[in-house]
Amino acid sequence: MSQTVTFEKRGSIGIIHVDNPPVNALSRAVRQGLLDAIRGADADSDVKAIVLACRGRTFIAGADISEFGQGPLEPDLGAVIASYEASEKPVVAAIHGTALGGGLEVALGCHYRIAVATAKLGLPEVKLGLLPGAGGTQRLPRIIGFEKALSLITTGEPIAAGEAKSLGLVDEVVDGELEAAAIGFAERIAATRPLPRARDFTTHVEAAKKNPELFEKAKKDVTARARGAGAPLRCLEAVRVAIERPFDEGLSRERELFAEAVASTESAALRHVFFAERAAAKIPDVPADTPTLPIRSAAVIGAGTMGGGIAMVLANAGIAVTLIDREQSFVDKGVEIIKKNYGATVKKGKLSQSEMEVRLARITPSSNWDALPTADLVIEAVFEEMGLKKELFTRLDGVCKKDAILATNTSSLDVDVIARATSRPEQVIGLHFFSPANVMRLLEIVRGKVTSKEVVASAMKLAKQINKVGVLVGVCEGFVGNRMLHKYAHEAQHLLLEGALPQQVDRVITAFGFAMGPMATSDLAGIDVGWRIRKAKAKPERYGWGVADRLAEMGHFGQKTGSGFYKYEDGSRVPIPNPEVEKLIVEIAQKNGVERRSISDHEILDRCLFAMINEGAKILEEKIALRSSDIDTVWINGYGFPAHRGGPMFYADTVGLAKVLGTVQEFGRKHGKAWSPAPLLVRLAGEGKTFGALAEG
Ligand code: 3H9
């Protein structure tokens, strides 16, 4: 028997243990071990009931994702699960940590499931572009009903043990020691017959047959949420078969759909995203055992939207934080907004009133600097102006303790210049949060030229602690995200002058899978933001931003003024195309001698995406990003790039770099040197390589 699965007896109870750190994934060895173990237990006449439990931090967290793409490796998980379900002896799954994907499917094949209260159960396959492929789409609805099963399978969100119990997914929630409870449970039900096998359950199937609207509604919801992704619809199809066909036919249809899904580019993209997020946490020259500085208390300077959001994020993670602004009225306003935000979460039922009070109590408002000398971390979130930031950091240097981490939340300024305003540049780092800071998952961690390894390691650790995806980037204007965003948004603006309309550009981008197009995003963020920055620059660009700048000059800042690239009626957020804007575009194009033409959707997509990808290649070559997958992680978590496309660099790899380069060169011939191809793109395309392969080699 394999070492990852062991079998032992306690009296008449046989215990099968899985031990495959870190998450007990169902590697080939584990599947073989599980099969051998159940055969052994079945054959042992002393064994009256069987417990399946896991060692380490969790129950089985699913199939081994790194095995996908290698073709089928025997034994098949479905066959393993069938042998547990077919056992003549009751099998009890004892769940702690997370029973996810194939892990939950194994538990569904068992006759009983018990779990500790902190356990979570779910079928997250859809998030990997897959569907549950080992019976989950057939067994789960038979156990908990179709409506709830559809929701779990198509969203991939897990549920807690308590909810699982109320749905009948778990038979008992355990208070004390899990294994002892599982043995006790197994002894109690050892003689119970017939054994409850999900494949035989009919109540929910009969109910669903009488309720055809259920699927119509689910299809509508799922299609709206999918944004072009195929996996949610495959999930739906597999569950539908569970109503219409006998169990075994359902299983074979599920297997077919799974085979299609696992071979899809969409699933390859989402698996890439999964590993990319975890790779981002690893910094080659900052090993995992690098000492970190303790962060028990923090101060945030600037109580505006960003500062307030950052204070919430820290407080949510249990860190005491002082929120500082120059005047008491600014601080009061900041705290007011924080209370409103927490209140909204309480209203939605996502936070209890008492937890809100606990978090609020961690935030101390202040209009003086008394808290600074003892703070472990100071985050500056003041106006984006270099002079102001330098002055602030010089003052911080004078009052903060020697080993405090001094962070700037700048979104584009030179962190090295800010660091040099202190006598300890090695303690200075950029922590670029995204707005709203309490919602967006991305944290760009900007490493200055001399930032110490301890400070880098501490910032990476902090990201995890505050539930953000931390990506380490280097210093340049706009870092990774905003530098690429600038190219993307600029191209979208040019397209308007050349012949497109805001609604066409946005339609193309949302059809690709973004939640919003660049014009609607600009209206939401405020057209005035970029306009003010451009105005402050010594040499404003010629006409590229003409439409945005004219709208801003006319006071059309977007949603907040009721008009921007679109109109908004009575405080609504629904954009309505605006013929006045169309006239304005035509006028600006004429003034700049740009002849408007009909522009294809295809060109819009390539122009917007390839502009950003070409810049991404430059960023990679300059080592501003450590790996191409880090760029993907930034764009997916901070800018709404559709995860099922894998991020801009992965997407470029799927298109083929030779094709991307050819198109970039063609745009260069038509639109000038802004399109000069990144040397890295030229090299990789010439060698027939991908950005992804670069990371490996
Ligand atoms: C499936 O089951 C398909 C079936 O329906 C059908 C089959 C026929 N495989 O996230 P962490 C690694 S699809 C391989 O940092 P946490 C991970 O890369 C699967 N590796 O820890 C990392 O490695 P490293 C459905 C995996 O505590 C390390 O483990 N299941 C897998 O923050 C620690 O991970 C899922 O989608 C895996 N399945 O979170 C669950 N899972 O240290 C995916 C993790 O080298 N997993 N690793 O960077 C998760 O959601 C989280 O990892 C989990 C732990 C919540 C379990």
Side-chain angles (χ1 to χ4, degrees):
M1 193 184 294
S2 118
Q3 281 190 330
T4 55
V5 181
T6 53
F7 179 69
E8 63 184 278
K9 281 189 278 187
R10 304 261 182 88
S12 62
I13 307 300
I15 308 182
I16 299 170
H17 276 119
V18 179
D19 188 5
N20 184 29
V23 297
N24 289 316
L26 290 157
S27 63
R28 182 184 199 173
V30 171
R31 297 198 300 278
Q32 188 61 53
L34 283 170
L35 199 56
D36 294 344
I38 193 72
R39 283 179 182 155
D42 278 343
D44 188 330
S45 57
D46 293 342
V47 172
K48 302 295 177 221
I50 301 156
V51 168
L52 171 63
C54 290
R55 298 212 192 275
R57 66 197 220 212
T58 179
F59 191 76
I60 302 164
D64 187 335
I65 303 168
S66 59
E67 273 185 6
F68 293 146
Q70 294 178 21
L73 296 170
E74 293 292 326
D76 168 64
L77 181 60
V80 174
I81 294 171
S83 65
Y84 278 68
E85 191 172 52
S87 172
E88 290 303 327
K89 300 170 186 179
V91 187
V92 182
I95 299 170
H96 74 292
T98 43
L100 297 177
L104 181 57
E105 290 177 299
V106 170
L108 294 172
C110 297
H111 308 113
Y112 300 94
R113 290 157 292 280
I114 68 167
V116 294
T118 51
K120 294 233 161 83
L121 300 88
L123 292 172
E125 285 87 343
V126 69
K127 296 185 180 179
L128 296 169
L130 302 169
L131 60 146
T137 63
Q138 307 301 301
R139 289 191 180 92
L140 187 68
R142 283 177 162 84
I143 296 174
I144 67 169
F146 281 75
E147 194 167 358
K148 192 66 199 176
L150 272 173
S151 151
L152 288 187
I153 293 171
T154 59
T155 64
E157 291 303 322
I159 53 171
E163 187 180 353
K165 167 88 171 56
S166 63
L167 291 169
L169 177 56
V170 157
D171 298 285
E172 202 170 283
V173 177
V174 174
D175 266 342
E177 211 262 314
L178 178 63
E179 210 162 290
I183 293 170
F185 186 95
E187 283 167 345
R188 282 200 304 283
I189 51 85
T192 305
R193 295 292 182 281
L195 290 173
R197 294 189 171 97
R199 58 180 296 134
D200 301 331
F201 294 0
T202 54
T203 315
H204 292 302
V205 176
E206 294 313 319
K209 276 188 178 147
K210 292 187 194 129
N211 183 11
E213 305 90 69
L214 176 74
F215 261 84
E216 289 317 306
K217 186 179 169 309
K219 192 164 184 185
K220 241 167 95 187
D221 293 350
V222 167
T223 312
R225 264 192 330 231
R227 290 205 195 112
L233 294 164
R234 283 202 185 93
C235 288
L236 203 66
E237 158 74 1
V239 178
R240 196 180 53 77
V241 177
I243 303 181
E244 292 170 1
R245 313 297 312 159
F247 183 80
D248 287 321
E249 281 184 36
L251 279 188
S252 31
R253 180 67 185 131
E254 180 195 76
R255 199 164 306 135
E256 276 170 21
L257 288 164
F258 185 82
E260 271 176 30
V262 91
S264 68
T265 306
E266 174 183 320
S267 176
L270 287 161
R271 284 180 267 140
H272 161 78
V273 171
F274 179 85
F275 288 116
E277 263 185 29
R278 281 146 185 93
K282 299 180 178 97
I283 313 301
D285 71 325
V286 183
D289 58 359
T290 304
T292 54
L293 302 158
I295 301 177
R296 290 179 223 97
S297 66
V300 175
I301 303 183
T305 313
M306 196 41 118
I310 297 172
M312 286 174 78
V313 167
L314 296 169
N316 294 349
I319 299 171
V321 51
T322 308
L323 181 63
I324 302 171
D325 214 315
R326 272 180 293 123
E327 284 180 31
Q328 192 59 42
S329 62
F330 296 166
V331 186
D332 291 345
K333 200 171 157 216
V335 171
E336 214 35 55
I337 295 172
I338 291 176
K339 282 188 182 155
K340 220 171 104 189
N341 285 339
Y342 274 136
T345 317
V346 170
K347 238 189 195 156
K348 281 187 208 147
K350 290 186 178 165
L351 183 73
S352 70
Q353 182 71 31
S354 58
E355 181 55 24
M356 163 176 161
E357 303 296 339
V358 170
R359 292 181 187 188
L360 270 175
R362 291 191 190 117
I363 303 176
T364 309
S366 172
S367 59
N368 63 52
W369 281 29
D370 292 355
L372 286 177
T374 53
D376 297 319
L377 165 72
V378 180
I379 303 177
E380 159 280 307
V382 302
F383 193 67
E384 189 77 345
E385 212 263 298
M386 183 54 102
L388 185 67
K389 298 212 186 230
K390 275 169 65 177
E391 193 191 313
L392 185 74
F393 272 76
T394 305
R395 282 182 65 204
L396 287 176
D397 191 29
V399 296
C400 294
K401 62 180 180 185
K402 236 179 82 210
D403 58 351
I405 298 173
L406 306 184
T408 167
N409 176 52
T410 179
S411 58
S412 63
L413 297 176
D414 189 329
V415 173
D416 288 323
V417 174
I418 297 173
R420 281 198 296 272
T422 73
S423 65
R424 42 173 138 171
E426 68 286 350
Q427 290 298 111
V428 177
I429 196 160
L431 291 181
H432 180 206
F433 287 85
F434 287 70
S435 190
N438 50 318
V439 177
M440 299 298 288
R441 286 189 75 218
L442 178 64
L443 180 64
E444 270 186 332
I445 298 175
V446 191
R447 180 184 198 168
K449 272 201 189 76
V450 296
T451 308
S452 77
K453 289 186 183 178
E454 287 77 10
V455 169
V456 170
S458 307
M460 296 302 294
K461 190 172 158 198
L462 175 74
K464 196 150 185 157
Q465 191 186 344
I466 61 177
N467 206 14
K468 300 281 173 209
V469 181
V471 180
L472 191 70
V473 301
V475 175
C476 67
E477 191 175 336
F479 316 124
V480 169
N482 281 349
R483 178 167 157 187
M484 288 166 73
L485 177 71
H486 187 269
K487 297 287 172 191
Y488 161 81
H490 189 242
E491 211 48 40
Q493 292 290 319
H494 264 275
L495 285 161
L496 294 184
L497 297 184
E498 288 172 40
L501 290 176
Q503 50 272 30
Q504 186 192 3
V505 176
D506 282 357
R507 178 177 48 72
V508 170
I509 296 299
T510 50
F512 179 75
F514 275 87
M516 282 178 131
M519 310 301 161
T521 306
S522 188
D523 273 1
L524 175 68
I527 302 178
D528 52 321
V529 180
W531 170 61
R532 285 184 215 283
I533 295 172
R534 285 189 291 279
K535 269 207 312 188
K537 278 198 178 161
K539 267 201 243 155
E541 284 164 65
R542 210 161 49 85
Y543 67 84
W545 298 97
V547 181
D549 288 350
R550 271 291 289 285
L551 285 170
E553 278 156 19
M554 292 156 72
H556 300 308
F557 293 166
Q559 282 191 19
K560 60 187 167 192
T561 57
S563 63
F565 287 103
Y566 299 96
K567 284 191 292 193
Y568 300 88
E569 276 171 4
D570 305 327
S572 148
R573 287 165 175 260
V574 180
I576 303 169
N578 187 349
E580 293 302 315
V581 172
E582 191 174 341
K583 271 196 226 150
L584 189 73
I585 293 171
V586 172
E587 186 192 304
I588 298 173
Q590 270 171 359
K591 206 169 123 202
N592 288 287
V594 183
E595 198 170 318
R596 283 173 60 78
R597 63 192 162 93
S598 150
I599 301 185
S600 71
D601 289 359
H602 189 72
E603 179 178 343
I604 291 175
L605 190 66
D606 283 357
R607 292 267 298 273
C608 291
L609 295 188
F610 290 2
M612 126 185 11
I613 289 162
N614 195 35
E615 196 65 18
K618 291 177 188 170
I619 284 172
L620 207 48
E621 188 145 56
E622 291 166 28
K623 302 202 180 339
I624 298 295
L626 280 170
R627 19 177 124 73
S628 68
S629 64
D630 283 359
I631 300 180
D632 291 334
T633 304
V634 163
W635 268 81
I636 286 167
N637 292 287
Y639 297 84
F641 197 99
H644 69 272
R645 304 280 189 179
M649 308 315 275
F650 183 91
Y651 173 70
D653 285 345
T654 62
V655 171
L657 295 191
K659 196 163 166 209
V660 174
L661 174 64
T663 313
V664 166
Q665 287 167 330
E666 186 195 321
F667 290 154
R669 285 189 288 277
K670 289 186 188 147
H671 306 290
K673 70 174 186 342
W675 279 98
S676 68
L680 179 66
L681 176 61
V682 176
R683 177 164 72 75
L684 292 179
E687 291 170 357
K689 290 192 178 147
T690 59
F691 290 124
L694 191 72
E696 287 151 25

